[in-house]
Each structure stands twice: as C-alpha cells, then as structure tokens.
Amino acid sequence: MTDLAEQRHLASDAQTTSALPDEQRTRCEVWTRVMGYHRPVSAFNTGKQGEFAERTFFRER
C-alpha cells in the first residue's frame, strides 16, 4: 500500500497524461469491509458515507 501523498501524485500524473472524455468514463464502485462483510459504499446511509469520506490511510511500521 502506498502512502497518501504518493497516491495523490500518481492520480495527478494520470489526470494529465490520459484524461478521458466524459462520454467514455464509467462509474467506479468503491467497496469496503464492514464488520467482516464487503459492502459497496454507495449502499451506506448518509452518515456512514460521511464517516467513510473522513477516513485516513496509514502504514503501520
């Protein structure tokens, strides 16, 4: 797993080199593990979606 700064750098590089027109884009469904089950974030209620957006990623040493 890469750190957040590296992910942002990779994302900014991808946006500048291979931007797709809107008609060629498809929706990306994000899944996460909750209480031992994998669930799509789009199925969360508004409060849980907000909590998911506030999560931070870290790497344990």
Side-chain angles (χ1 to χ4, degrees):
M1 184 168 162
T2 60
D3 65 348
L4 191 56
E6 187 176 341
Q7 289 176 6
R8 287 183 180 150
H9 177 70
L10 293 173
S12 66
D13 285 349
Q15 287 177 349
T16 57
T17 58
S18 63
L20 288 175
D22 287 339
E23 57 273 359
Q24 290 183 351
R25 294 178 179 267
T26 58
R27 193 150 201 57
C28 178
E29 187 171 37
V30 178
W31 286 60
T32 188
R33 189 178 65 83
V34 178
M35 299 294 292
Y37 297 94
H38 288 87
R39 301 276 320 264
V41 175
S42 60
F44 290 178
N45 64 32
T46 305
K48 287 292 180 189
Q49 286 182 2
E51 288 177 13
F52 181 80
E54 292 175 356
R55 289 183 185 176
T56 57
F57 295 94
F58 66 95
R59 185 185 305 197
E60 188 174 3
R61 292 186 179 156

